[in-house]
Amino acid sequence: QAKRSGRGTVAFYEPDGGDDARARLLVTSRLRRAISEGQLLLQYQPIFAVETGALVSAEALVRWQDPEQGLVPPGLFIPVAEDTGLIDAIGQWVVEELCAQAARWRDEGFVPGLGFNLSPRQLRRPDLVASIAAAIDAHGLPREQFTAELTESAVLSDEHRHTSLLEELREAGLKVAIDDFGAGHSSLGRLRALAVDTLKVDRSFLAGVPEDRSAGSIVAAMLSLANALGMNAVVEGVETEPQLEFLREHGCPLAQGFLLGRPVPADRLPRA
Ligand code: C2E
Ligand code: MG
Ligand code: MG
Ligand code: MG
């Protein structure tokens, strides 16, 4: 349903809220225009080494600067883009913009790791890896600077197709992260078979820390799991000092969250 209830609070398309075909069509055409008229932008959220506090990488997060609605978060338009196939054009734009920014940063002597998100429908595109690699190469960037973030459910939903996709990404020289780990329902056994570099622990687990001891135990267990499998780990959603302290005590290598840094435009990303 298309609703106008004011800046930032608008849900003009609700993926689960019935099928208002007209509202969907409206968003689709506006989103198509958003792509062609340059209304998409990327913000970057820093990821820090817990022990040293050094900036290690940044995650690119897409936003839609809509003339009417203001800054629209991806949760409100990625689902419709997925449904309509526009996600391929958006994904292409994201990777190209990210590479252009990475090249500007490189020219300034700043070379952070850079993560970007891939949603399930994008994984179906047969030339996905080739198109990402081409964008990186066009800017003369090292492919290993880039990490593709795929959610657990996307990766594990179709084991055969996506296992080979992960391998394809890694063979092309990129890194791969499982995003929102723990939020889906994968078996740990399957995880072992996956070729991934990094686990990103879903922020829902850290949310209960430190009050909820079982939440803490789960975060600690996921950190040991990553360690045992030789994977890097990022815990998402660090919002408080006690949470950061908890991660320090449990040897968490990397952390991301509002306490450490919110998503910001490229020129406001901290350099160290
Ligand atoms: P994600 O990849 O798990 O990205 C992290 C989300 O958590 C971001 O929301 C970020 O702003 C938010 N976040 C980070 N730290 C904290 C914290 O401490 N507390 C809380 N409450 N939230 C925190 P955002 O930017 O709204 O993105 C939401 C999701 O949209 C992303 O989740 C990702 O799945 C998707 N997305 C974003 N950009 C893209 C994109 O370019 N392509 C695709 N396919 N999906 C994207
Ligand atoms: Mg992500
Ligand atoms: Mg995430
Ligand atoms: Mg998330």
Side-chain angles (χ1 to χ4, degrees), residues 23 38 79-80 107 124 141 143 158 181 201 215:
V80 69
D107 295 345
R124 288 201 243 146
L141 296 157
R143 293 184 185 174
D158 172 356
F181 183 70
V201 175

Side-chain angles (χ1 to χ4, degrees), residues 51-135:
E51 215 186 311
T52 63
L55 180 136
V56 171
S57 57
E59 177 178 4
L61 296 158
V62 71
R63 279 92 181 80
W64 173 9
Q65 183 66 61
D66 181 75
E68 286 172 44
Q69 310 293 345
L71 200 61
V72 182
L76 294 185
F77 65 91
I78 293 288
V80 69
E82 280 244 301
D83 284 357
T84 57
L86 277 179
I87 191 66
D88 286 334
I90 292 176
Q92 186 80 40
W93 179 85
V94 165
V95 167
E96 272 163 19
E97 174 60 24
L98 175 62
C99 291
Q101 183 58 53
R104 289 190 285 272
W105 275 331
R106 174 202 53 206
D107 295 345
E108 296 165 10
F110 179 49
V111 187
L114 292 168
F116 61 96
N117 295 283
L118 293 175
S119 45
R121 166 117 185 208
Q122 292 177 265
L123 309 188
R124 288 201 243 146
R125 193 179 151 177
D127 64 344
L128 177 68
V129 177
S131 71
I132 295 169

